[in-house]
Amino acid sequence: MTTAHDNCDHCYLPLPEGEQISSTINDKEMHFCCHGCQTVCETIYGAGMGGFYQRTTEGDTLQPPPEIDSQLEVYDLDDVQREFVDELGDIREIHLLIEGIHCAACVWLIERRLADESAVLDANVNLSVRKLRIKWDNRKIKLSQIMHALGQIGYAAVPFDPEAAEGQIKKQNRHLLFRLGFAGFAAMNLMWISIALYAGADEGKFKDLFYWLGLGLATPTLLYSGYPFYRGAITGLINRHLTMDLPIAIGATITYLYSCYVVISGSEIAHVYFDTVVNFLFVILTGRYLEAMSKRMAVQSTQRLLDLQPKIATLIQDDESSIVPVSALKEEDRVLVKAGEKIPVDGIIIKGESVVDESMLTGEFVPVAKFMDDKVSAGTTNKEGVLTIRVSQTLKNTALGKIIHLVDEAQSTKAPIQCTADRIIPWFVSITLILASITFMLWVGENIEIALMAATSVLIITCPCAFGLATPMAIAVATGVGARMGVLVKHGAVLEILSTIRHFVFDKTGTLTQGKMLVSTLFFTSVSPDPEDSAINTIQKIVPSDESMEQLSESENRILDLICLLETHSEHMIAKAIVNLGQQYGLTSRAELEQIKVVSGSGIAANYHTQKQEQKIAIGTLNWIMQIAGSEKHIAEIGTQLEGMMQEYHRSGSTVVYAWLENESICAFVVEDKLRTDAVDIVKQMHQQDFKLTLLSGDKQEVADYMAEKLAIEDVIAEVMPDEKDKVIQQKQQGDLIAMVGDGINDAPALVRADVGIAMGSGTDVSIDSADVILVNGELGKIPLAAELSRATLTTIKQNITISIVYNIIMVPLAMAAMITPLVAAISMPLSSLLVIGNAARIRWRFKDK
């Protein structure tokens, strides 16, 4: 690495006058602007990472190392880390905001340095937002040690705070705006000078005055507004890497120097182009500023999600309330949420009832009624009553926090197609310089001014920025759109893979079905007390609905009321389904039951007292009930007849339980895990889109076949264990790319094995952690929507790359033919980038109403 001794060998900023700081590194004498740069440079070379200085690929130079906090050890405290770390275990993960990071070389250096630490398990830098995601073993290394290691190579790190990050972005954009404003001011004044010269002043006695005024305006503009381009170009040359700032710097410099020559030499035939220099700097800076703002707008989904998280909560302690930061809350704390306030934590209602707007999580805008023991989520809004909530999760561990984490992770990853674009970009600069040289040679024999302007236009107009933006912009917009629709994508690469998948494998329980037991049908029979009568006077089949339940007789209502009352004493899932039925239709018995007896595997029984007599009541299997009621007339005949009617339900996989009220009635409850309301329509829709579908279940073959028949799925694989599901997916992958859709712990191996794993948001944490895509509110309808989003994203990426290629194919020949001036070239150059950004934004509009 060599450089003139008027610039620092680390940050390339001018060396201070008088003070000489030098060091011999790798047998070369190097000079530095401060001891910080000297220390950092020595550390980098000492660690064998001198390749850092050959990897600067963007326009920013390095800055002298920022001042490192002397009290980093405070970040080792669990109380401090709790706000930033996902989980306070032995293995921890955190996002750090990095000050001093400028380019891809910085990314390489940071990741390479941390890779040398064995206790650092993973380190990924997100250059666009200057964040480092790091996973480390807290038993072997402390967070402060990692931050010290970063400080040694010139980077200050602090735990990521969204508001601080937003402030940094605004600060950078503000500096860019200052340079833009300065160039705009100079451009407007030079415009008046140009008008005067074009109007004839270039032939009068004031020509020299106007020329020198132009020089006076152009010189500070070139130095101040053009500084980022010179900085990037010089940095690239020092590190033997051609950056896109080099052609811009060369074009501006040659045009400026030529104009200076005309002014100083007093040439009577040549013209000055100070207005061209200033105008194209102004236009290029305008394009960069618009790009910066557009990028910020496109990736704001994470910030909008963060805004949903309340910052404070009302903590209840010793019957007194106080306002505290959410970060100060811990599990089992009690918080008070008044009507109209956002719920600050995930928790369980221990007092009060209300309706809660959960649209930010589920997409459903109808508020949900909440009662005692119901769960609530952070970021949702309490609409009516006052709630007291016991805290179960806070901040990053809440459902909202996990959504934010997944969106952020997806936006920081690269799709495979982006790697191709990244490899193409470095060739652009070399080709640009060659084409500019050829253009100058072609025109110099005819007219040096035309040759100069044409070559400058080629240098300016050729830009690979659109290639660099093609993939990350599309992925950033698509993941944000997906998050809004309730489709969380963990990695950007998933979108590319999902777009090519034509075979979906569905788990049955909890995925195609609702995942909870519901009473689908009731059968009431009334028994005649007269032994001479037939066994059953009436048999009534009822499918629960508002209308059918209103038509129940007083006797049937009383019987159902008692059955629901008895089932409240059982914890069985079928009992809960019957109790839920009673609660749904407002059945509230005040009767008292005695001698309640639970027989495992058989049922539950009790005695019920009326004013006239004592009656027995039981719920369970038919055989057990027939044993209890064996002395009752017609019981065997009734049971046999009912059992025959239930065979159809048994074949469909439903569970049937029987209830008996002594000398009055014997009933049957058909309990099943119903198909999701949209399952049939979604499967039909996917068939119409030529997707291949498979039903994969651990249930009995006849049950799976019955379900597949209702859904019109031909490929059915049943009676498989979790590890067998993994093998099934592996076999299917021999011919197709596979997407697995599941919700349970037993689906986790298959979700990992599949090319794309899709988990229902209502499923288990294990399945969600194992999946690549998460459907937040568990809607099957989001699956074809996710596939459509992935195809739209890949199409957009290809369109963006095409835009860049077509732009250069059209504009470069025109520039070489001297048909485009440098000013027009400066206007055209950012257009390709803006077109790419605008094209990526179309994804948002395409899915606006979905």
Side-chain angles (χ1 to χ4, degrees), residues 162-217:
E163 294 181 0
E166 186 73 8
Q168 286 290 329
I169 294 172
K170 289 181 179 178
K171 182 179 177 181
Q172 294 163 11
N173 290 346
R174 186 167 59 250
H175 287 166
L176 185 59
L177 187 61
F178 287 159
R179 297 184 191 278
L180 172 62
F182 191 93
F185 170 79
M188 286 187 291
N189 284 278
L190 272 169
M191 186 186 302
W192 293 111
I193 295 175
S194 300
I195 291 172
L197 291 172
Y198 294 149
D202 61 336
E203 297 178 359
K205 61 180 179 179
F206 294 109
K207 182 185 77 169
D208 289 344
L209 174 62
F210 284 126
Y211 277 9
W212 282 102
L213 285 174
L215 176 62
L217 285 170

Side-chain angles (χ1 to χ4, degrees), residues 668-739:
F669 290 78
V670 179
V671 183
E672 63 179 337
D673 184 9
K674 287 187 175 181
L675 278 175
R676 291 178 180 265
T677 53
D678 57 349
V680 175
D681 291 337
I682 296 306
V683 169
K684 182 179 179 181
Q685 180 183 340
M686 296 184 73
H687 276 311
Q688 291 172 346
Q689 296 177 6
D690 294 325
F691 286 112
K692 184 178 180 181
L693 305 181
T694 297
L695 177 61
L696 183 62
S697 175
D699 214 333
K700 296 178 181 178
Q701 186 70 50
E702 61 179 5
V703 175
D705 288 339
Y706 176 85
M707 195 69 69
E709 183 180 351
K710 292 179 70 174
L711 292 167
I713 297 178
E714 295 181 359
D715 187 18
V716 183
I717 303 173
E719 301 181 19
V720 289
M721 301 298 289
D723 59 330
E724 294 173 334
K725 286 187 177 183
D726 173 67
K727 293 177 182 177
V728 169
I729 295 297
Q730 197 169 4
Q731 292 170 359
K732 294 284 185 183
Q733 287 174 320
Q734 301 300 319
D736 297 311
L737 290 175
I738 300 295

Side-chain angles (χ1 to χ4, degrees), residues 594-606:
E594 296 179 354
Q595 300 181 27
I596 299 171
K597 181 181 180 182
V598 177
V599 180
S600 179
S602 297
I604 182 171

Side-chain angles (χ1 to χ4, degrees), residues 528-690:
S528 172
D530 188 345
E532 299 298 327
D533 290 346
S534 59
I536 302 177
N537 286 346
T538 60
I539 181 167
Q540 185 178 4
K541 176 182 176 181
I542 298 172
V543 177
S545 68
D546 291 339
E547 183 179 356
S548 65
M549 298 301 284
E550 286 176 0
Q551 294 176 359
L552 290 178
S553 67
E554 183 179 347
S555 174
E556 290 167 339
N557 258 317
R558 185 176 65 85
I559 293 169
L560 184 57
D561 201 5
L562 287 170
I563 292 170
C564 292
L565 176 62
L566 178 57
E567 288 286 46
T568 60
H569 297 277
S570 172
E571 292 297 322
H572 196 280
M573 59 188 303
I574 293 177
K576 291 181 179 179
I578 295 173
V579 171
N580 288 338
L581 175 71
Q583 292 177 342
Q584 183 179 355
Y585 294 103
L587 299 176
T588 54
S589 176
R590 296 184 179 179
E592 292 185 5
L593 301 178
E594 296 179 354
Q595 300 181 27
I596 299 171
K597 181 181 180 182
V598 177
V599 180
S600 179
S602 297
I604 182 171
N607 290 341
Y608 163 60
H609 288 276
T610 66
Q611 293 181 350
K612 298 180 179 181
Q613 61 179 349
E614 179 181 276
Q615 287 181 288
K616 292 181 180 178
I617 183 172
I619 307 164
T621 65
L622 182 60
N623 289 337
W624 181 66
I625 285 178
M626 290 177 69
Q627 291 176 11
I628 297 175
S631 60
E632 191 171 300
K633 292 287 185 179
H634 311 306
I635 190 66
E637 183 181 348
I638 296 171
T640 301
Q641 187 171 349
L642 264 180
E643 189 175 31
M645 298 173 64
M646 297 301 110
Q647 293 306 308
E648 176 188 352
Y649 297 102
H650 285 299
R651 284 194 296 270
S652 69
S654 299
T655 300
V656 180
V657 293
Y658 299 85
W660 165 73
L661 183 60
E662 186 177 10
N663 294 323
E664 281 196 47
S665 178
I666 183 168
C667 313
F669 290 78
V670 179
V671 183
E672 63 179 337
D673 184 9
K674 287 187 175 181
L675 278 175
R676 291 178 180 265
T677 53
D678 57 349
V680 175
D681 291 337
I682 296 306
V683 169
K684 182 179 179 181
Q685 180 183 340
M686 296 184 73
H687 276 311
Q688 291 172 346
Q689 296 177 6
D690 294 325

Side-chain angles (χ1 to χ4, degrees), residues 40-94:
V40 169
C41 188
E42 290 174 345
T43 301
I44 291 172
Y45 275 101
M49 295 184 288
F52 163 70
Y53 294 103
Q54 279 76 48
R55 285 174 167 79
T56 303
T57 59
E58 297 195 2
D60 294 330
T61 69
L62 304 174
Q63 296 291 330
E67 183 177 349
I68 307 301
D69 191 341
S70 60
Q71 297 181 338
L72 291 179
E73 285 71 18
V74 71
Y75 293 114
D76 294 335
L77 300 175
D78 286 350
D79 289 340
V80 175
Q81 287 191 18
R82 184 173 285 108
E83 183 176 352
F84 306 104
V85 174
D86 295 335
E87 184 177 347
L88 291 175
D90 292 333
I91 306 301
R92 302 186 180 187
E93 183 175 326
I94 195 173

